[in-house]
Amino acid sequence: MNRMNALIILGNDFKRRNLFDWLWAHISGALPPHRYRGTLELKPDSLIFYGLDTYAGTDAEFRIDRRTIRQVYHGYDDIYNLFQTRGIGLSWAPVRLTVEKDFPDSVEYVYIIAGYDQPLTSNAAFYSFLIEWLS
């Protein structure tokens, strides 16, 4: 598991979603809610994303340092909930990273759908990998 297709959305991005975004996520064949679409590369000390910022229509590249990840969670929560996507969450659920941002008490939520090109995603395997990688 070195590289994988990934969809990423930040917790704050949900505030910018509108009714059209919500409807689009419920159309058959539509991808799960995301802002970034591309490839996630797994390095010994970080996760590096290369792809497209679908909101801005520009290339995007960013890094999540391993040391800044405070928590990994697999499932829905109050922000990325069942109603954000079609299928009421029966076939997959996002992986959420709680990432330290600028200050130790300031965090950001990063939601990842890994391996979205597969019928059910590879989020369960990605979650297991992250738990081991961080231990």
Side-chain angles (χ1 to χ4, degrees):
M1 185 178 283
N2 247 357
R3 280 182 168 233
M4 67 185 73
N5 291 336
L7 301 173
I8 297 177
I9 189 166
L10 305 179
N12 289 334
D13 291 330
F14 281 96
K15 295 175 186 172
R16 295 164 49 178
R17 291 176 54 80
N18 58 35
L19 179 61
F20 177 77
D21 295 327
W22 185 87
L23 287 171
W24 184 255
H26 288 78
I27 294 173
S28 180
L31 294 172
H34 65 283
R35 176 177 180 172
Y36 302 98
R37 182 176 61 237
T39 302
L40 194 61
E41 185 173 358
L42 310 172
K43 299 282 192 175
D45 63 342
S46 62
L47 303 172
I48 302 175
F49 176 82
Y50 307 96
L52 175 70
D53 178 338
T54 62
Y55 288 9
T58 59
D59 289 339
E61 181 178 327
F62 55 86
R63 173 186 179 123
I64 301 171
D65 288 325
R66 180 177 164 182
R67 62 179 173 71
T68 65
I69 299 172
R70 296 292 166 243
Q71 182 189 44
V72 180
Y73 174 77
H74 182 216
Y76 294 95
D77 62 16
D78 291 340
I79 298 171
Y80 198 132
N81 57 50
L82 287 175
F83 304 107
Q84 297 292 338
T85 187
R86 65 183 157 79
I88 62 170
L90 297 176
S91 58
W92 61 271
V95 171
R96 182 190 72 206
L97 303 179
T98 304
V99 179
E100 185 178 296
K101 186 181 163 199
D102 301 330
F103 301 102
D105 61 342
S106 177
V107 297
E108 182 162 38
Y109 297 118
V110 180
Y111 296 91
I112 302 171
I113 306 299
Y116 65 87
D117 55 337
Q118 300 173 16
L120 299 176
T121 80
S122 54
N123 273 0
F126 180 56
Y127 171 76
S128 295
F129 166 83
L130 288 172
I131 294 299
E132 186 176 316
W133 181 67
L134 291 168
S135 62

